[in-house]
Amino acid sequence: MRIPQQPNYLNRKIQSVEPSSNRNYALGFALLGALFFLPFLGGVHLFDWDEVNFAEISREMLITREYTRVYVNFEPFFQKPPFFLWLQAAAMAVFGVGEFAARFPNAVCGMITLPLLFRIGQKLKGTRFGLIWAGAYFGSVLPFLYFKSGIIDPWFNLFIFLGVYYFILAYWKRSRFEGVLLSKNAWWYLFLAGFWIGMGMLTKGPVAYLIAVLTMGVYWVYQRFRFYVNVPQFLFFTLSAMLVSLIWFGLETLKNGPEFMIEFNVYQYRLFSTPDAGHRGFPGYHFIVLLLGCFPASIFALRAFFKLPGEVHVFQVDFRRWMKFLFWTVLILFTIVKSKIVHYSSMCYFPLTYLAALTIEGMINGEITFKPWLKGFLYSIGGLYILLTLALPFAGMQAEVLSPLFKDPFAQGNLQAEVNWTGWEVIPGLFLLGLLLLFSRFIKKNRQRAFALLFGGMGIFIMLTLIFFIKRIEGYSQRAAVEFFKERAAEDAHYLVTGYKSYVHLFYTRPQQGGEACFMDEDCREELLNGPVSKPVYIATKVHKAEAHRNNPNLELLEEKNGFVFFRRLPD
């Protein structure tokens, strides 16, 4: 469909839209990512479930040299495609099996994402806008943290965003939008759109295609059901995505039959229709996650959902429309999904930070005022972060006093962990307090410097918070179980976790073949607890699940620590 003829002033090209040949800024963002995302990746154990789950799959890939089927505990695992796991396995082959290698692919993703956002932003609105967008992504809490994690979503989200972006370019090329430099033909952009969506499907499954197509569908409704791309072009996009995803899905089906596809789709339906594994949440869960977790970009993004000045070109207005549609599609989709997990809405980080960058640019230009309601959100949520980071060290020093306030026996046990708090942990909170005070001063005089200070300072704040807090938090939550199994990894033994789901006993005992550890198998569990065994069995459970084991004459209580109870069974 051709767009209606626009007034001439909307179709004039502006010089700042074309990206500069100077790549210094892009290189600078890549180096910034390396400086902040690579350090301390191996400084804390992997967190159960997702980080340990994916790392164990990748470790077993190296042992079995089986790269066309995903395994956990050397048994088929039907919940994830393998692309991210291939990246982890490659990192482990280079750096060795461990926390650093498991998180390394996402650090690289961050080093790619920041300069990529700069270049796209530069193409859309000029160099300064590219700097603002990449800076807003870097200096927001959850987007930053995910690049220091070992979960799938950073790569998955990047692929979906690129797929949607190139689809938009194809539409602009076909509809002859003016003011934006599009040197390739529409079919090439459609191929790239399909390619990146196909990569998303290889990373986490068909939901990549679902998100993209739902967003396109919303735009179709906005167009009053007029076909803004024709049917052959849409089919070409779909075919491109399917061909890429068939690199693995097709090979897996040809080699092992349809079992993966059947079980994978059953799992996806379960996630959609039930709060899988206890991941419940209220309807506004993801809105709160994005508002608090994407601070401070989330505050400025709110303003961009309303009319904005300064969008001279039709394609700029249209791109904001696409980003709003993408944001709401993801947010509503995962609000409907019954399982509520923080990273389900992480695809929103791209449109959210883009919208934030629009508001910030408008403020710098003097076209948008810093309204009292924006100030209220910024300083109240910033104040919440300050309060938490100042209060947590004092709460940690009084953990034994606070323990009786919790009714959950496991939480009470967690708080008994020997975690050393020095008082210096208040540094991140004090830093953020000073940062917000400086921002409130500079915003009145030099807004460009104020926002550079805010988002650059937030990156430092997040890093300081990780340095001072993450290992201490892990000390309460899981370290006792991790260290229990690590200490016994060299023994010729069986390993079992009961009463809760965990991958810790797999990754941290490093089994070399099936049968050494028991995972999600009731027959195996029963055999190790009560059947004949030829070597020791080490067992972990939680304190409120331990009563049956205490009364089992086959088991010897080894210790109780931080909410966990550990048993041993000796050979018959």
Side-chain angles (χ1 to χ4, degrees):
M1 185 194 92
R2 289 284 303 274
I3 63 168
Q5 183 65 39
Q6 305 294 335
N8 288 336
Y9 77 91
L10 290 176
N11 291 326
R12 289 178 300 171
K13 292 186 179 181
I14 55 174
Q15 187 175 3
S16 62
V17 170
E18 296 189 15
S20 167
S21 60
N22 191 331
R23 292 183 171 84
N24 288 343
Y25 284 125
L27 179 60
F29 275 115
L31 293 175
L32 182 69
L35 181 64
F36 278 84
F37 302 145
L38 287 174
F40 311 116
L41 289 179
V44 65
H45 297 127
L46 298 173
F47 282 90
D48 241 355
W49 298 338
D50 287 346
E51 280 199 315
V52 188
N53 177 12
F54 304 145
E56 174 59 17
I57 292 171
S58 303
R59 186 190 72 86
E60 291 182 21
M61 277 187 176
L62 295 180
I63 294 172
T64 63
R65 299 190 182 279
E66 171 61 83
Y67 300 101
T68 58
R69 169 159 273 200
V70 177
Y71 290 86
V72 163
N73 199 27
F74 302 94
E75 297 177 357
F77 183 73
F78 301 111
Q79 297 180 10
K80 294 292 182 291
F83 178 77
F84 177 76
L85 309 168
W86 291 337
L87 296 181
Q88 278 193 323
M92 289 180 183
V94 174
F95 301 111
V97 175
E99 292 84 359
F100 181 90
R103 294 176 177 132
F104 179 77
N106 281 345
V108 173
C109 184
M111 295 163 60
I112 293 171
T113 298
L114 294 183
L116 188 65
L117 291 182
F118 165 74
R119 297 293 287 180
I120 294 174
Q122 187 183 49
K123 183 182 186 71
L124 293 171
K125 294 201 74 179
T127 297
R128 186 178 66 177
F129 183 81
L131 292 170
I132 295 171
W133 188 5
Y137 204 100
F138 165 79
S140 296
V141 177
L142 284 178
F144 184 107
L145 289 177
Y146 274 32
F147 293 136
K148 296 185 75 67
S149 74
I151 64 174
I152 287 175
D153 297 81
W155 283 98
F156 176 65
N157 296 332
L158 177 62
F159 291 147
I160 296 175
F161 173 73
L162 286 174
V164 172
Y165 171 69
Y166 279 107
F167 187 88
I168 295 169
L169 296 189
Y171 161 54
W172 288 353
K173 184 70 175 184
R174 179 177 183 269
S175 300
R176 300 180 183 177
F177 274 70
E178 295 189 19
V180 61
L181 182 64
L182 299 172
S183 58
K184 308 296 183 181
N185 64 49
W187 294 99
W188 174 248
Y189 291 127
L190 282 172
F191 169 75
L192 290 177
F195 175 84
W196 292 119
I197 294 300
M199 290 300 297
M201 294 168 71
L202 272 179
T203 304
K204 204 173 182 179
V207 71
Y209 182 80
L210 176 65
I211 289 172
V213 170
L214 285 176
T215 304
M216 297 168 195
V218 174
Y219 195 88
W220 181 51
V221 173
Y222 164 78
Q223 292 275 34
R224 299 180 182 179
F225 302 102
R226 292 193 294 262
F227 287 102
Y228 56 94
V229 293
N230 59 38
V231 173
Q233 288 175 327
F234 181 79
L235 291 177
F236 179 74
F237 156 77
T238 299
L239 180 62
S240 300
M242 297 306 165
L243 286 176
V244 173
S245 63
L246 283 174
I247 291 173
W248 180 77
F249 284 100
L251 182 62
E252 159 66 22
T253 302
L254 286 174
K255 183 177 179 182
N256 300 305
E259 185 181 15
F260 176 88
M261 295 301 298
I262 294 170
E263 293 295 330
F264 179 81
N265 287 320
V266 169
Y267 171 71
Q268 297 300 314
Y269 176 77
R270 187 169 76 244
L271 286 178
F272 184 88
S273 59
T274 63
D276 187 61
H279 290 297
R280 300 178 182 273
F282 57 97
Y285 174 86
H286 287 294
F287 177 81
I288 299 300
V289 165
L290 293 171
L291 181 64
L292 300 180
C294 291
F295 175 85
S298 57
I299 309 304
F300 302 102
L302 293 172
R303 174 63 182 83
F305 285 98
F306 305 97
K307 186 177 180 179
L308 289 179
E311 292 177 315
V312 176
H313 286 258
V314 174
F315 76 87
Q316 294 171 342
V317 177
D318 193 60
F319 194 80
R320 178 163 73 103
R321 185 180 297 122
W322 274 101
M323 291 297 98
K324 288 194 292 185
F325 291 166
L326 177 59
F327 176 88
W328 287 116
T329 297
V330 174
L331 185 57
I332 292 171
L333 175 65
F334 290 107
T335 296
I336 295 171
V337 170
K338 298 295 184 181
S339 297
K340 307 296 184 188
I341 303 176
V342 170
H343 48 259
Y344 278 9
S345 57
S346 58
M347 180 59 230
C348 288
Y349 301 169
F350 284 98
L352 183 149
T353 51
Y354 171 79
L355 295 170
L358 289 176
T359 298
I360 292 165
E361 186 185 48
M363 288 183 171
I364 292 172
N365 291 338
E367 299 166 336
I368 298 175
T369 58
F370 194 22
K371 297 284 189 181
W373 67 270
L374 283 173
K375 294 179 183 178
F377 271 117
L378 181 69
Y379 296 129
S380 60
I381 295 177
L384 181 61
Y385 274 99
I386 293 168
L387 180 62
L388 287 173
T389 49
L390 291 179
L392 192 56
F394 296 102
M397 293 176 185
Q398 303 297 322
E400 293 183 2
V401 177
L402 296 174
S403 177
L405 300 177
F406 293 85
K407 296 181 180 180
D408 182 3
F410 181 64
Q412 291 178 346
N414 290 163
L415 292 175
Q416 295 171 6
E418 295 181 4
V419 176
N420 180 39
W421 295 91
T422 65
W424 290 105
E425 296 82 15
V426 299
I427 288 176
L430 294 176
F431 178 87
L432 181 56
L433 175 61
L435 179 64
L436 291 180
L437 290 174
L438 283 174
F439 174 78
S440 65
R441 177 183 176 185
F442 279 105
I443 196 68
K444 300 172 184 177
K445 300 177 180 179
N446 188 328
R447 290 189 171 186
Q448 184 165 310
R449 181 176 297 179
F451 283 111
L453 180 71
L454 177 64
F455 286 101
M458 279 299 300
I460 296 172
F461 164 74
I462 300 165
M463 195 69 166
L464 288 172
T465 303
L466 287 173
I467 292 170
F468 281 102
F469 287 102
I470 194 67
K471 198 163 188 175
R472 290 178 170 87
I473 291 171
E474 194 258 349
Y476 291 112
S477 64
Q478 65 170 29
R479 190 180 303 156
V482 173
E483 291 182 344
F484 174 80
F485 286 113
K486 283 180 69 175
E487 290 169 2
R488 290 156 180 83
E491 295 188 33
D492 182 18
H494 293 294
Y495 307 97
L496 172 65
V497 164
T498 69
Y500 69 106
K501 182 179 178 182
S502 175
Y503 298 89
V504 161
H505 66 303
L506 299 178
F507 185 75
Y508 284 103
T509 60
R510 305 286 200 267
Q512 298 298 302
Q513 59 187 0
E516 295 181 23
C518 184
F519 177 73
M520 301 293 288
D521 186 329
E522 285 300 317
D523 292 336
C524 171
R525 173 184 175 278
E526 184 61 26
E527 181 178 347
L528 293 183
L529 289 175
N530 299 305
V533 294
S534 58
K535 53 186 178 181
V537 182
Y538 290 101
I539 303 152
T541 189
K542 292 183 177 180
V543 63
H544 57 293
K545 301 282 188 177
E547 194 59 34
H549 300 320
R550 296 181 196 274
N551 298 326
N552 187 334
N554 295 325
L555 304 184
E556 170 192 0
L557 175 64
L558 293 180
E559 64 175 324
E560 297 186 37
K561 189 174 183 181
N562 306 344
F564 295 94
V565 185
F566 304 108
F567 297 89
R568 178 176 62 184
R569 184 182 178 194
L570 295 174
D572 299 327

